[in-house]
């Protein structure tokens, strides 16, 4: 029996750890995975691995994973051939568009899309042909405020400054829990060691979070904040920096800073304190500590982008780094210089060129906010959405008011899902096209090298051969594109394989043919543990894509949003506010079907402070009913001293008890969906991003 060692980056989350995977050919000719370990020879991840990567073998062997196209006939699923499937899609979608217009077909792309390079290179080969304005993705339940802020301030939505975690002396984290998430818009394998290294070199870690998270637990200081009110805290911080003259000059050309200073003059630490629940003295001291450090990073992630003032938060984060001289500075925040550079090779994006039909929400980069998707299906009239294509997503569990979306999906004329599970969303599809599994295709990270804390690059071959009759995601898109082009009489430009595109990206990039590195696909194949291209360096002046090559500190649409902030209604004292959380053994909605990840005590409970429990006569472990404007769920409650009083925490991605879901292990421990409570009308109105955090709820005994 032949054993082989493979080196492979893990692309389940943003950390892109190197793995060493041992396979063995069996007597019957099949190949089995023997072990999955961290790759100590990857200089970036240094052997780090988490439990999700070990479960890659479970994804591979999962009997519930689809391996051929499935067509729904009534409540039955029937296998069909690929060509027949492509023909069916082309026929149904072209007919619907002919009858009702191009916008009658909507598209939703989920999170794994950006982790799968073939999806990145080829999804638009087909989806672009649909020419619909109803494009949606997980971006608007996640990081949209980051893109919008970078687009407005730096001229490109992907030009996002990354914490220089390995060199900083002070790290202020708001709304991120990297010990559970392994870092986000900060690709940082081995994050716990890197955070502790800050402390070892005499630096400080401060976490702002309504829950004493795993990251807060190792921090030097943890500050509780009222959910959804980080903007108030950040205004107080920035105001203190101005008022106490704590700023440091920047080498960058900046427009609009005086305008900002004047506009926020009234937002003092004292006036912001009640709103965010942080004492004014704490806010002022935080500003002083931040500037006293030789270098410092302010980093705000998921928890602060998915709230009512998410874009203001991300803008304020940028300004705090900028005003203290930490933007584009070693030990502060720096932009990457990736080997395949989407900032250099694409335009800066656009915002609010058109709006959603029903609620008038703004597009960003050609996509509309997903909170509008259900109403675009349910509201009759010209332009109503009648068909949907989902790609690597599960919006029923991952977008606000999932129950309303279910109702909308049920009324569609046609739905196609490109996914390998029959889950809470794809069960509504007429047709499911399953791609190869994660170890069956090769990998180059087009997305997360852009956000890594070092400049790194790595190409890896598939670990397992593509099974006979299977197609990769990109091949599915090529098949769909061809069938659709024939049906609609469009002449399709030829395409090439993803790896050839990467080869071109590498060779034309700044480490390519014209550089000393001479990077190409062939060169990367010789370095299966990845290549380190060095620490991040100051480079922003040369990378800015604004018209006058200056940083725009006071973009007009952001300045206009200050009014909305100032006018927000004061919160009711007695209401509980719902927030979310992640766990290292869970991955959004789709990794609950692997025994090794879900075994042990349940992790989907509602966390609640003991005082809030006793006030309601509730006890630890009991079943409770949680109610919001849009819905009600039942879930077990767990008492937790780590919660801020008045705040409850529920992880998203659970709620697998829906009929028709074919995920046997996930269904045994279904949990409840946080997004049966989140509200599609609660938005960061500026960007249209969903405000998933800070949702008012009531909790009572079930
Ligand atoms: N309340 C609340 N809601 C949230 C969040 C929260 O914190 N709280 N987080 C939000 C965030 S940050 C995100 S990113 C979204 C995620 O939301 P989504 O992206 O909608 O959902 P996922 O759970 O990531 O589902 C991924 C799907 O892709 C499939 N899949 C996996 N790999 C592949 C592949 O290679 N190819 C194809 N074709 N399919 C694949 C899986 O089977 C699964 O069905 O959820 C958001 N929703
Ligand atoms: N294990 C695991 N890793 C993952 C994922 C996963 O599902 N599981 N998902 C991946 C994805 S798609 C993403 S986007 C990233 C996200 O990665 P992170 O941004 O690190 O997200 P979370 O781990 O959800 O941490 C968000 C924190 O925000 C806090 N929070 C909630 N509301 C507020 C608020 O109003 N203010 C403040 N200051 N804090 C608040 C929560 O308590 C929580 O601790 O993780 C990625 N990595
Ligand atoms: S942290 Fe875990 S899931 Fe993320 S890349 Fe590393 S091994 Fe994979
Ligand atoms: Mo995400």
């Amino acid at each position: 029996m032949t054993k082989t060692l493979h080196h492979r980056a893990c692309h389940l989350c943003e950390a892109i750890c190197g793995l060493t995977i041992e396979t063995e050919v069996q007597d019957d000719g099949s190949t089995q995975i023997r072990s999955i370990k961290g790759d100590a020879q990857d200089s970036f991840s240094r052997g780090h691995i988490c439990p999700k990567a070990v479960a890659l073998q479970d994804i591979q062997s999962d009997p519930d994973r689809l391996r051929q196209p499935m067509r729904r006939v009534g409540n039955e699923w029937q296998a069909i051939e690929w060509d027949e499937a492509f023909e069916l899609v082309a026929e149904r979608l072209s007919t619907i568009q002919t009858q009702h217009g191009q916008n009658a077909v909507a598209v939703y792309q989920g999170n794994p899309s950006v982790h799968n390079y073939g999806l990145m290179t080829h999804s638009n080969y087909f989806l672009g042909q649909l020419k619909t304005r109803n494009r949606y993705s997980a971006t608007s339940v996640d990081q949209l405020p980051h893109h919008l802020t970078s687009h407005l301030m730096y001229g490109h939505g992907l030009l996002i400054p990354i914490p220089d975690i390995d060199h900083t002396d002070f790290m202020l984290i708001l709304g991120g829990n990297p010990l559970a998430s392994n870092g986000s818009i900060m690709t940082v394998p081995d994050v716990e060691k890197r955070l502790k290294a800050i402390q070892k070199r005499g630096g400080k870690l401060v976490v702002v979070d309504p829950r004493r998270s795993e990251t807060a637990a190792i921090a030097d200081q943890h500050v509780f904040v009222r959910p959804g009110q980080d903007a108030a805290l950040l205004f107080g911080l920035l105001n203190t920096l101005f008022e106490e003259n704590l700023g440091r000059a920047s080498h960058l050309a900046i427009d609009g800073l005086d305008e900002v200073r004047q506009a926020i003059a009234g937002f003092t630490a004292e006036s912001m304190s009640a709103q965010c629940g942080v004492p004014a003295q704490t806010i002022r001291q935080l500003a002083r500590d931040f500037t006293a450090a030789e270098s410092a990073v302010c980093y705000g992630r998921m928890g602060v982008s998915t709230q009512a003032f998410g874009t203001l938060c991300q803008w304020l984060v940028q300004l705090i780094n900028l005003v203290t001289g930490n933007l584009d500075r070693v030990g502060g925040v720096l932009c990457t210089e990736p080997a395949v550079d989407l900032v250099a090779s694409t335009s800066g994006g656009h915002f609010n060129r058109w709006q959603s039909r029903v609620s008038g929400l703004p597009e960003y980069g050609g996509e509309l906010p997903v909170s509008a998707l259900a109403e675009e299906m349910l509201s009759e009239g010209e332009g109503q959405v009648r068909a949907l294509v989902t790609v690597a997503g599960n919006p029923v569990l991952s977008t606000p008011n999932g129950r309303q979306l279910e109702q909308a999906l049920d009324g569609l004329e046609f739905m196609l899902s490109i996914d390998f599970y029959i889950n809470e969303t794809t069960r509504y599809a007429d047709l499911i096209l399953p791609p190869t599994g994660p170890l069956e295709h090769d990998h180059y990270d087009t997305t997360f090298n852009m956000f890594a804390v070092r400049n790194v690059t790595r190409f890896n071959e598939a670990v397992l051969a593509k099974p006979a009759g299977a197609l990769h995601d990109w091949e599915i898109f090529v098949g769909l594109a061809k069938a659709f082009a024939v049906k609609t009489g469009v002449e399709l430009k030829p395409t090439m394989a993803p790896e050839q595109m990467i080869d071109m990206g590498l060779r034309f990039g700044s480490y390519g043919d014209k550089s000393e590195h001479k990077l190409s696909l062939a060169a990367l194949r010789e370095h299966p543990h990845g290549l380190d291209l060095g620490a991040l360096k100051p480079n922003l002046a040369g990378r800015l894509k604004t018209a006058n090559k200056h940083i725009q500190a006071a973009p007009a649409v952001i300045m206009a949003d200050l009014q909305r902030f100032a006018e927000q209604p004061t919160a009711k004292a007695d209401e509980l506010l719902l927030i979310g959380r992640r766990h290292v053994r869970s991955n959004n909605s789709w990794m609950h079907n692997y025994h090794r990840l879900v075994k042990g005590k349940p992790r989907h409970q509602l966390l609640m402070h003991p005082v809030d429990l006793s006030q309601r006569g509730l006890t630890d472990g009991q079943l409770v009913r949680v109610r919001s404007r849009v819905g009600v769920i039942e879930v077990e409650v767990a008492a937790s001293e780590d919660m801020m009083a008045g705040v409850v925490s529920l992880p998203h991605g659970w709620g697998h008890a829906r009929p028709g879901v074919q995920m046997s292990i996930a269904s045994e421990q279904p949990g409840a969906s946080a997004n049966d409570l989140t509200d599609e009308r609660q938005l960061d109105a500026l960007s249209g991003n969903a405000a998933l955090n800070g949702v008012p709820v009531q909790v009572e005994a079930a």
Side-chain angles (χ1 to χ4, degrees):
M1 286 190 279
T2 335
K3 289 183 184 168
T4 313
L5 266 193
H6 307 259
H7 305 293
R8 166 73 189 218
C10 174
H11 62 279
L12 291 171
C13 89
E14 299 176 38
I16 46 177
C17 302
L19 305 177
T20 298
I21 302 180
E22 190 180 38
T23 60
E24 185 179 60
V25 179
Q26 308 295 294
D27 290 336
D28 64 2
S30 68
T31 303
Q32 295 293 321
I33 294 166
R34 297 301 309 253
S35 69
I36 299 181
K37 297 193 172 117
D39 178 2
Q41 290 180 74
D42 180 325
S43 66
F44 191 38
S45 65
R46 308 180 290 207
H48 181 74
I49 185 169
C50 86
K52 290 185 293 302
V54 186
L56 279 164
Q57 58 198 300
D58 307 329
I59 305 178
Q60 185 55 33
S61 59
D62 188 353
D64 290 334
R65 183 163 63 88
L66 301 180
R67 279 146 170 104
Q68 58 195 123
M70 302 297 272
R71 182 183 189 173
R72 186 157 52 84
V73 181
N75 288 329
E76 297 288 304
W77 289 96
Q78 293 174 359
I80 66 168
E81 296 299 320
W82 285 106
D83 284 340
E84 194 188 344
F86 296 151
E87 173 62 27
L88 175 73
V89 175
E91 163 62 27
R92 298 293 290 121
L93 293 186
S94 64
T95 304
I96 289 169
Q97 286 194 318
T98 307
Q99 283 174 355
H100 303 288
Q102 282 165 325
N103 297 336
V105 177
V107 173
Y108 173 84
Q109 283 190 269
N111 170 273
S113 303
V114 292
H115 294 267
N116 178 325
Y117 88 120
L119 261 169
M120 289 292 284
T121 54
H122 281 76
S123 51
N124 253 353
Y125 197 51
F126 168 59
L127 300 174
Q129 278 192 66
L130 296 173
K131 293 196 171 65
T132 171
R133 285 191 166 180
N134 278 304
R135 295 284 296 252
Y136 302 85
S137 80
T139 290
S140 49
V141 279
D142 187 351
Q143 81 290 358
L144 175 55
H146 294 254
H147 297 311
L148 181 56
T149 302
S150 282
H151 164 68
L152 295 169
M153 293 182 76
Y154 309 130
H156 198 295
L158 296 175
L159 197 55
I160 301 177
I162 305 302
D164 190 11
I165 190 170
D166 290 341
H167 303 108
T168 195
D169 299 302
F170 193 100
M171 188 145 170
L172 170 61
I173 301 182
L174 303 103
N177 183 15
L179 259 59
S181 68
N182 293 298
S184 182
I185 317 202
M186 171 174 71
T187 284
V188 51
D190 207 357
V191 66
E192 183 169 359
K193 266 198 202 129
R194 284 171 139 114
L195 287 174
K196 286 181 170 165
I198 299 175
Q199 298 167 315
K200 279 204 188 111
R201 58 180 178 264
K204 252 183 112 175
L205 174 65
V206 180
V207 173
V208 176
D209 199 305
R211 172 181 159 244
R212 189 176 301 107
S213 66
E214 292 76 359
T215 310
I218 67 156
D220 300 280
Q221 186 185 355
H222 169 227
V223 178
F224 277 127
V225 65
R226 290 212 38 225
Q229 293 299 340
D230 296 80
L233 168 62
L234 291 163
F235 273 126
L237 275 175
L238 183 62
N239 184 283
T240 305
L241 294 174
F242 284 138
E243 218 183 64
E244 300 188 12
N245 241 326
L246 297 171
R248 188 157 42 186
S250 170
H251 59 285
L252 297 157
I254 304 157
D255 292 343
L257 210 48
D258 283 337
E259 193 187 328
V260 173
R261 184 199 290 260
Q262 283 165 21
I264 71 153
F267 297 163
T268 59
E270 289 68 25
S271 66
M272 294 290 105
S273 168
Q275 218 165 313
C276 59
V278 182
Q281 203 43 42
T282 307
I283 302 178
R284 287 198 179 265
Q285 193 56 45
L286 204 48
R288 292 170 198 147
D289 293 348
F290 194 88
T291 40
E294 177 52 31
S295 63
V297 169
C298 180
Y299 163 79
R301 215 8 226 124
M302 170 74 199
V304 290
S305 19
T306 51
Q307 51 171 271
F309 296 95
T311 306
L312 283 187
C313 285
Q314 294 304 336
W315 169 71
L316 287 162
V317 164
Q318 299 305 314
L319 286 177
I320 286 167
N321 288 322
L322 190 159
V323 164
T324 56
N326 284 299
L327 175 63
D328 200 40
R329 179 161 178 268
V330 171
V333 292
L334 291 160
C335 287
T336 58
E337 228 166 302
V340 175
D341 188 357
L342 301 180
V343 171
S345 63
T346 62
S347 74
H350 45 79
F351 173 58
N352 206 10
R353 287 215 184 136
W354 61 86
Q355 295 78 32
S356 68
R357 178 180 62 107
V358 180
S359 286
L361 301 184
E363 68 73 42
Y364 170 79
E367 284 183 8
L368 292 168
V370 72
S371 294
L373 179 57
E375 68 184 12
E376 291 296 328
M377 295 171 173
L378 293 168
S379 310
E380 286 174 18
E382 206 183 312
Q384 182 183 3
V385 169
R386 293 160 194 275
L388 175 69
V389 180
T390 72
V391 181
N394 191 2
V396 164
L397 291 194
S398 55
T399 68
N401 200 351
R403 291 288 179 192
Q404 185 195 35
L405 183 62
E406 282 180 321
Q407 188 200 333
L409 297 182
D410 205 26
L412 289 175
E413 289 177 25
F414 182 72
M415 176 169 159
L416 162 68
S417 290
I418 301 174
D419 204 301
F420 35 58
Y421 283 104
I422 302 177
N423 65 23
E424 297 72 16
T425 299
T426 62
R427 70 196 168 109
Y428 288 98
D430 296 283
L431 185 65
I432 306 180
L433 303 180
T436 49
L439 296 177
E440 292 169 340
H441 56 75
D442 42 37
H443 178 66
Y444 183 88
D445 217 303
T446 48
T447 310
F448 298 104
N449 288 325
M450 304 267 314
F451 306 130
V453 300
R454 291 185 69 84
N455 289 310
V456 288
T457 185
R458 174 174 185 147
F459 176 84
N460 291 129
E461 308 275 351
V463 172
L464 301 165
K466 184 169 83 165
L471 294 180
H472 299 309
D473 279 285
W474 74 271
E475 293 172 314
I476 295 174
F477 284 109
V478 171
L480 289 168
K482 286 183 174 162
F484 194 76
V486 167
K487 191 67 72 188
T488 52
V490 168
E491 203 179 322
L492 198 59
K493 286 201 193 107
T495 182
M496 50 175 133
E499 71 208 58
Q500 288 174 283
M501 293 190 188
I502 295 305
D503 187 43
M504 282 176 55
L506 288 166
R507 291 178 43 204
F508 290 130
S510 52
Y511 307 87
D513 293 345
K514 289 190 182 145
S515 78
E516 61 193 284
H517 299 275
K518 306 260 178 289
L519 283 192
S520 65
L521 193 68
L524 289 197
R525 282 183 195 276
E526 285 171 27
H527 297 278
H529 306 286
L531 275 180
D532 185 276
L533 302 168
L536 306 187
K537 298 188 294 280
N539 63 4
L540 189 56
R543 278 173 83 65
L544 284 175
K545 283 202 153 184
T546 47
N548 65 358
K549 306 273 185 235
H550 292 188
I551 291 171
Q552 300 304 314
V557 290
I558 292 187
M559 299 312 284
D561 208 35
L562 297 188
Q563 189 70 17
R564 185 174 64 100
F565 174 80
E567 285 169 359
Q568 66 181 304
T570 45
K572 294 190 203 95
D574 61 336
E575 72 193 3
L576 290 165
L577 296 175
L578 176 72
I579 63 169
R581 68 177 185 272
R582 284 173 162 73
H583 192 279
V584 77
R585 290 181 169 272
S586 174
N587 198 12
N588 295 327
S589 77
W590 75 281
M591 289 190 74
H592 299 150
N593 211 42
Y594 316 115
H595 178 68
R596 95 178 68 222
L597 293 184
V598 292
K599 69 179 181 212
K601 61 178 174 22
R603 287 179 272 270
H604 59 254
Q605 301 99 325
L606 184 79
L607 302 183
M608 193 166 180
H609 193 275
V611 169
D612 288 323
L613 277 174
S614 62
Q615 271 177 3
R616 288 163 183 78
L618 301 169
T619 51
D620 179 46
Q622 95 179 76
L623 197 67
V624 292
R625 193 168 295 138
V626 191
R627 200 184 299 277
S628 73
R629 183 192 74 88
V630 308
V632 53
I633 61 164
E634 290 191 356
V635 68
E636 304 90 321
V637 71
S640 170
E641 301 268 2
D642 292 333
M643 294 308 300
M644 186 178 186
V647 182
V648 290
S649 161
L650 190 70
H652 76 290
W654 299 87
H656 306 299
R658 271 111 151 135
V661 172
Q662 296 193 14
M663 302 181 80
S664 44
I665 296 176
S667 303
E668 279 168 26
Q669 215 190 88
S673 176
N675 288 316
D676 289 350
L677 297 170
T678 57
D679 189 335
E680 82 284 6
R681 290 191 208 155
Q682 254 186 280
L683 295 165
D684 169 28
L686 172 50
S687 65
N689 206 46
L692 304 168
N693 288 314
V695 178
V697 292
Q698 289 102 47
V699 180
E700 65 199 20

